[in-house]
Amino acid sequence: MLYDLLQSRRSIRKFQNREVEKEKIDVILKSALLAPSSRSIRPWQFIAVTDGELLRQLSQCREPAPHFLAGAPLAIAVIADRDSSDVWIEDTSIASTIIQLTVQDLGLGSCWIQVRERFHNKQESAGEYIGKVLEIPEQYSVECIIAIGYPAEEKKPYEEDSLQYHKLHYNKF
């Protein structure tokens, strides 16, 4: 049940030294392609990264640095052609969520690393830095990178009594 996935999905920052099988990577990427997008424009593209040196470089993409990315066996950079849709941010966010839920369903763990509006250093944005590392054409913007792998840490599922029920409204605020 989707509710169970949502309740158990937590950000994982420690991964086992174990590759993610190609079959699972394929399912994750195909799931991303099934994500809904405004007017079915699908402005996104996905870059699966398994190369250890590239993962190390990506782990230096912003401050504070997501050092744990260097220990992940897989990362997916979620990018979009920003000129093709006025809601590319929303579309890439939806696709990123689909990726994370698919990862959870496959028994893997993940962590969203925000890139858009973050900085590598005072002169360069995180997206520009990643664009150079992954050779991304200039018309694309990076929304996030999702670190993925077999969890090397356990986190308890969210408990229903800790949900912020005061943020739920019916009919009117």
Side-chain angles (χ1 to χ4, degrees):
M1 179 187 226
L2 180 58
Y3 180 79
D4 295 329
L5 277 178
L6 293 168
Q7 194 173 20
S8 64
R9 198 222 60 80
R10 303 294 301 268
S11 292
I12 299 297
R13 293 178 179 84
K14 294 179 184 171
F15 301 98
Q16 296 176 28
N17 186 16
R18 177 178 169 192
E19 287 184 15
V20 175
E21 297 86 347
K22 172 88 167 72
E23 297 79 22
K24 288 187 177 185
I25 296 172
D26 290 344
V27 168
I28 294 165
L29 293 172
K30 286 190 284 187
S31 295
L33 292 174
L34 291 170
S37 71
S38 177
R39 301 181 311 257
S40 292
I41 292 174
R42 298 177 177 94
W44 24 247
Q45 302 229 9
F46 309 97
I47 304 171
V49 181
T50 57
D51 178 87
E53 176 55 25
L54 287 176
L55 290 165
R56 187 196 64 72
Q57 290 177 45
L58 292 174
S59 75
Q60 305 299 315
C61 70
R62 62 168 227 204
E63 287 299 326
H67 296 292
F68 65 90
L69 182 56
L74 170 64
I76 297 177
V78 181
I79 68 174
D81 180 348
R82 63 187 170 272
D83 295 329
S84 69
S85 174
D86 61 334
V87 292
W88 69 268
I89 295 168
E90 292 84 348
D91 288 345
T92 54
S93 296
I94 292 166
S96 298
T97 300
I98 296 291
I99 289 169
Q100 287 197 286
L101 292 174
T102 302
V103 165
Q104 183 72 19
D105 191 47
L106 292 171
L108 301 167
S110 68
C111 187
W112 176 309
I113 300 165
Q114 181 63 30
V115 173
R116 184 182 46 79
E117 300 297 326
R118 300 296 184 264
F119 292 90
H120 173 64
N121 58 36
K122 290 182 180 178
Q123 294 80 35
E124 186 175 44
S125 74
E128 291 167 336
Y129 172 83
I130 293 166
K132 290 177 187 172
V133 171
L134 298 181
E135 300 176 9
I136 299 170
E138 283 190 30
Q139 78 262 27
Y140 292 91
S141 291
V142 182
E143 171 62 19
C144 66
I145 295 175
I146 300 172
I148 300 168
Y150 285 93
E153 64 180 328
E154 279 191 42
K155 294 187 175 181
K156 294 190 311 189
Y158 292 101
E159 296 180 13
E160 283 192 22
D161 61 353
S162 69
L163 296 177
Q164 297 177 341
Y165 290 105
H166 66 280
K167 294 187 176 187
L168 301 178
H169 310 277
Y170 292 90
N171 297 320
K172 295 184 179 183
F173 191 90

